[in-house]
Amino acid sequence: MVYVDEIDIDQEGIAEMMLDENAIAQVARPGTSLKLPGTSQGGGPSPAVRPVTQSGRPVTGFVRPSTQSGRPGTMEQAIRTPRTAHTARPITSASGRYVRLGTASMLTNPEGPFINLSRLNLAKYAQKPKLAKVFLSCGCVSVYFLKALDLAALATEHAQYKDWWWKVQIGKCYYRLGLYREAEKQFKSALKQQDMVDTILYLAKVYFRLDQPLTALHLFKQGLDRFPGEVTLLCGIARIYEEMNNISLAAEYYREVLKQDNTHVEAIACIGSNHFYSDQPEIALRFYRRLLQMGVYNCQLFNNLGLCCFYAQQYDMTLTSLERALSLAENEEAAADVWYNLGHVAVGIGDLNLAYQCFKLTLANNNDHAEAYNNLAVLEIRRGHVEQARALLQTASSLAPHMYEPHFNFAALSDQVGDLQRSYIAAQKSKEAFPGHVDTQQLIKQLKQHFAML
């Protein structure tokens, strides 16, 4: 049997994202929604410094459910972008994951299931609380939400509505079925009977799905009053601030996490990432070395170590770390990212031929790498291959409409060859992706002057 901790397993499938009818407000106020990209409240890094996801938020230092892409605006973006770092296939449904998790533990022989749930008398089990709790916890019923809900409802009734544990189970079933308001009621009722950190985290998940980050923040802070120094609550606050693009406050709470637990991998990785993009690679290097000392040994860590060494001008360790990252790459997407970073190192040392080959190898490993298309286009422009550069920039723009660089480069290139109309359209897209980009503003101003003279 396997027990699945559902607190952090919260990956939204395409159905949950695009067919969500629980929206509170279509046009939320700035700073109150996780679905609006432009909700930076100060301290948010510029897209010119730190890469962003298609939802407009900075890339985090730690891969968590939904951090790869945020919430896509269209079905096309939802299908194109993977939800996790391990597969290029988007998750189609959250409920399917629970079924797969429970399958291996339930099949004892090829002929049939371990327990035939349709023949069980749930009312009989509900009158035996100890047996019913074991039955529900071990995965026999928890994969089948409706059966679990029936059992939990009967057991709660048998306990005269005084057992908080059963209320939490009912809330979890409602959550999986998409009945978030009903789940909220059950979790609140359970908290009144028994104050538990897990119940607070489940309730916060409900508010996440309802797009109420401020309510979740308030809940976490109330929980900290009752459970001072609880790492999971501090980490939850930091994640919310990070998703709301308030990076400075997120870093503060991650530091609080490290004061309580100095081996917390997520906090160390996020603080290191924040220092790197704040132009402090030497300090970021210390955090990543700490992860290495703790036994984290993977492609992503050596990739980050190599970049930190390069920007901290420790060139002797740069290529060694990136070579180690390549040897540890588990899939083609990870190898593509390492080759892309090697291309940046090659540009930094002035070897443009090596950079060209690295970006080509990036696309050989991952044909959807928009940044590599953009950088290849820039190198093609330097070689005088304008048409190839235009084709590469159009590919990059279609793959990553949230990036401003391909739009601006295409606009600048079109302006040079005299295609003012396409240049203006691309410049407007660049401005939409990054309103504060000065070069885009100057190009639009220049194009408007051209149009006024016609």
Side-chain angles (χ1 to χ4, degrees):
M1 292 294 180
V2 290
Y3 176 74
V4 180
D5 184 4
E6 301 169 34
I7 292 172
D8 273 338
I9 297 178
D10 192 18
Q11 294 178 322
E12 291 182 84
I14 294 175
E16 286 85 355
M17 285 183 177
M18 305 308 300
L19 306 177
D20 183 16
E21 297 179 351
N22 295 287
I24 306 303
Q26 293 297 324
V27 185
R29 290 172 299 181
T32 62
S33 171
L34 296 172
K35 295 185 179 180
L36 290 178
T39 55
S40 174
Q41 301 174 1
S46 159
V49 178
R50 186 169 187 169
V52 295
T53 64
Q54 60 171 274
S55 63
R57 284 182 192 80
V59 173
T60 59
F62 190 85
V63 175
R64 296 186 295 270
S66 81
T67 60
Q68 285 297 98
S69 62
R71 291 167 169 79
T74 63
M75 182 65 79
E76 184 184 356
Q77 287 180 355
I79 293 172
R80 178 187 297 143
T81 308
R83 300 281 85 79
T84 69
H86 299 290
T87 175
R89 176 183 173 275
I91 294 173
T92 50
S93 172
S95 59
R97 182 183 178 96
Y98 297 105
V99 174
R100 287 192 292 275
L101 283 169
T103 305
S105 64
M106 291 173 65
L107 288 177
T108 54
N109 56 66
E111 283 77 25
F114 180 58
I115 290 177
N116 191 343
L117 292 172
S118 61
R119 295 184 178 181
L120 289 181
N121 184 357
L122 296 180
K124 183 180 78 171
Y125 284 100
Q127 294 173 3
K128 302 175 181 178
K130 293 180 181 179
L131 183 60
K133 286 181 180 180
V134 172
F135 194 55
L136 198 72
S137 299
C138 290
C140 297
V141 176
S142 62
V143 222
Y144 302 97
F145 312 142
L146 293 175
K147 286 286 184 183
L149 184 60
D150 290 342
L151 177 60
L154 290 167
T156 307
E157 188 177 349
H158 180 262
Q160 298 179 350
Y161 305 97
K162 293 179 182 178
D163 192 334
W164 65 272
W165 193 87
W166 286 113
K167 292 183 178 179
V168 170
Q169 304 312 307
I170 294 175
K172 285 161 67 174
C173 293
Y174 279 141
Y175 177 83
R176 294 177 196 166
L177 293 167
L179 303 171
Y180 301 127
R181 286 301 180 190
E182 286 77 3
E184 178 191 10
K185 291 175 185 175
Q186 295 295 330
F187 290 137
K188 281 185 172 180
S189 177
L191 278 174
K192 286 179 183 176
Q193 290 182 344
Q194 179 71 37
D195 217 0
M196 295 287 290
V197 175
D198 278 9
T199 313
I200 295 173
L201 295 173
Y202 283 126
L203 185 54
K205 279 177 62 175
V206 171
Y207 290 133
F208 262 94
R209 285 293 178 92
L210 291 172
D211 193 24
Q212 295 182 0
L214 297 183
T215 311
L217 270 178
H218 183 63
L219 175 70
F220 279 136
K221 289 177 179 177
Q222 282 184 331
L224 280 175
D225 292 337
R226 303 191 295 272
F227 301 98
E230 173 58 41
V231 170
T232 51
L233 300 180
L234 288 168
C235 193
I237 294 174
R239 288 178 181 180
I240 293 175
Y241 279 129
E242 198 167 40
E243 286 221 20
M244 291 174 69
N245 208 356
N246 199 332
I247 303 298
S248 55
L249 269 177
E252 284 182 24
Y253 275 96
Y254 278 128
R255 288 191 181 92
E256 288 295 323
V257 170
L258 288 183
K259 287 178 184 176
Q260 305 296 329
D261 178 9
N262 59 7
T263 60
H264 198 278
V265 175
E266 180 180 345
I268 295 172
C270 289
I271 293 174
S273 173
N274 186 43
H275 280 300
F276 178 79
Y277 288 116
S278 300
D279 203 19
Q280 297 173 322
E282 300 88 351
I283 302 175
L285 189 59
R286 289 169 51 193
F287 283 93
Y288 290 128
R289 283 174 58 192
R290 169 68 175 162
L291 287 177
L292 198 61
Q293 291 167 356
M294 286 166 49
V296 179
Y297 194 83
N298 56 28
C299 167
Q300 290 78 10
L301 179 57
F302 278 101
N303 178 54
N304 292 352
L305 283 168
L307 285 177
C308 289
C309 289
F310 177 69
Y311 286 105
Q313 299 182 6
Q314 299 180 16
Y315 301 120
D316 54 333
M317 288 294 296
T318 302
L319 289 178
T320 308
S321 298
L322 290 173
E323 284 175 2
R324 184 68 59 85
L326 270 178
S327 67
L328 291 171
E330 296 177 353
N331 49 47
E332 291 183 341
E333 286 80 8
D337 285 337
V338 180
W339 280 117
Y340 175 73
N341 290 328
L342 276 166
H344 268 287
V345 172
V347 170
I349 62 176
D351 192 342
L352 297 185
N353 288 325
L354 175 60
Y356 188 85
Q357 294 299 324
C358 288
F359 293 137
K360 283 283 189 183
L361 284 166
T362 301
L363 295 178
N365 283 283
N366 181 6
N367 201 32
D368 290 337
H369 205 287
E371 293 88 347
Y373 280 111
N374 177 70
N375 291 1
L376 263 180
V378 174
L379 293 177
E380 293 287 6
I381 292 171
R382 291 180 66 91
R383 294 181 172 193
H385 302 156
V386 176
E387 289 305 316
Q388 290 182 22
R390 284 169 68 102
L392 289 168
L393 288 171
Q394 285 177 323
T395 305
S397 301
S398 63
L399 286 172
H402 60 280
M403 284 172 53
Y404 78 94
E405 292 97 334
H407 297 304
F408 173 74
N409 291 337
F410 186 79
L413 185 59
S414 299
D415 182 50
Q416 286 178 8
V417 300
D419 192 347
L420 302 184
Q421 182 63 34
R422 286 188 179 181
S423 175
Y424 184 75
I425 293 170
Q428 289 291 348
K429 291 179 180 177
S430 173
K431 183 181 178 183
E432 185 180 340
F434 182 18
H437 191 227
V438 177
D439 291 341
T440 301
Q441 295 171 358
Q442 291 176 349
L443 180 59
I444 292 175
K445 183 179 178 182
Q446 179 184 332
L447 289 169
K448 284 182 177 178
Q449 289 175 352
H450 279 301
F451 294 145
M453 291 169 63
L454 294 176

